[in-house]
Amino acid sequence: MIDRPSARISSRKQPRQARSTELVAAILQAAVQVLAKEGAGRFTTARVAEKAGVSVGSVYQYFPNKAAILFRLQSDEWRQTTDLLRAILEDNDRPPLERLRNLVHAFIRSECEEAEMRLALSDAAPLYRDAPEAQDIRVAGAEIVQAFMREALPGASDAVRAVAGDLIKATLSQVGKAFSESSRTDAEIKAYADAMADMFRAYLERLGHGAARKP
C-alpha cells in the first residue's frame, strides 16, 4: 500500500563534491533497481540503502524519505521529456508539422523503451503529484507546447490553441502509455507513431483552415 504523501519531497541537500555526486548516483541507480523489482508498494529507503551498499543514514543525508527518492526519479524522467519537447518543438529549421511528427516518433519510442519504469513510477504518483515541485515541471512543459501552438496555428485564437495543445499532450501521454504496456517491434512502433502523427496533422490543418476562413 502506498504511504500518504509527505510534506517534503525535495532532496535534503545537493551534492557538491565528486564523492557526494557519486554517492547520490549510486543511490538513484539502486532505487531504479529496487523499484523495478519490488514495485512502488514495497519500495523502501532501507531496501535502496542495502542495494546501494550504503547505510540508511547516508541515504537520509540527501533524501529525507522514500517519496523524495521516487520524486527524484520521476522528476528526472519529466525533465528528460521536457528536454525532448524543447529540442524538437523549438527546432526552427523544420516546419511545425514535421516537428510534431518527429516528436510523436521520439515520444512513442521512449514510452516503449522505458515502459516498466514508467509504470512503476505511475504507481508512486500519489506520493508527489500535487507537490509544488511537480507542478513547476508540468508548467515548463506546457509553456513549450503553447509556444509551439502559437507557431503552428498563428491565425487561431488562444482558446483554440490551448485546447489543441492539451488534446495533443493528453493523447500522447495516455495513448502512448497504453500502447507501451505490451512489447512492440520497431515496425509496430513506427506504424503506430506514423498513424498518430497523421491524425495530429489532419487535426491541426483543419484548425488552421478554419482560422483562415474567419473574417
Side-chain angles (χ1 to χ4, degrees):
M1 181 176 179
I2 297 297
D3 294 342
R4 290 184 178 181
S6 169
R8 184 175 185 181
I9 62 170
S10 296
S11 298
R12 195 179 293 276
K13 68 177 183 178
Q14 297 298 320
R16 298 185 181 279
Q17 299 179 347
R19 184 176 179 181
S20 299
T21 300
E22 291 172 0
L23 174 59
V24 170
I27 292 170
L28 293 174
Q29 183 178 18
V32 168
Q33 295 171 353
V34 172
L35 184 61
K37 181 180 178 181
E38 305 289 348
R42 289 174 51 81
F43 184 94
T44 66
T45 303
R47 285 192 172 95
V48 172
E50 180 182 7
K51 189 69 176 178
V54 301
S55 69
V56 173
S58 294
V59 176
Y60 282 138
Q61 287 183 41
Y62 299 96
F63 302 99
N65 47 50
K66 74 173 188 178
I69 303 174
L70 289 166
F71 179 71
R72 172 62 184 270
L73 296 179
Q74 179 66 86
S75 61
D76 285 351
E77 190 275 323
W78 278 336
R79 288 191 179 93
Q80 289 173 5
T81 300
T82 300
D83 290 345
L84 181 70
L85 283 171
R86 182 176 289 109
I88 295 177
L89 294 186
E90 294 182 356
D91 181 5
N92 295 322
D93 291 334
R94 301 179 185 275
L97 292 179
E98 181 180 342
R99 280 179 255 165
L100 183 57
R101 178 173 293 276
N102 291 342
L103 175 64
V104 172
H105 275 268
F107 185 85
I108 295 298
R109 182 165 296 281
S110 174
E111 286 287 294
C112 291
E113 290 174 348
E114 302 175 17
E116 184 177 1
M117 181 56 60
R118 291 181 196 274
L119 181 61
L121 284 171
S122 70
D123 290 339
L127 288 168
Y128 48 70
R129 66 183 166 205
D130 296 325
E133 298 95 327
Q135 296 287 351
D136 290 343
I137 294 171
R138 286 195 287 268
V139 167
E143 289 175 347
I144 295 170
V145 173
Q146 289 168 8
F148 172 78
M149 284 299 161
R150 287 194 293 272
E151 186 177 356
L153 297 171
S157 67
D158 288 342
V160 168
R161 288 195 290 256
V163 169
D166 288 345
L167 187 147
I168 288 174
K169 285 189 299 179
T171 302
L172 274 173
S173 176
Q174 297 302 318
V175 177
K177 177 179 179 296
F179 177 75
S180 68
E181 287 176 354
S182 298
S183 180
R184 305 291 181 177
T185 66
D186 287 344
E188 288 174 329
I189 292 172
K190 182 180 184 305
Y192 198 83
D194 276 334
M196 186 180 292
D198 287 344
M199 179 181 69
F200 288 154
R201 180 187 184 98
Y203 173 56
L204 291 184
E205 286 179 339
R206 181 178 65 80
L207 291 179
H209 292 156
R213 287 196 297 269
K214 291 183 179 180

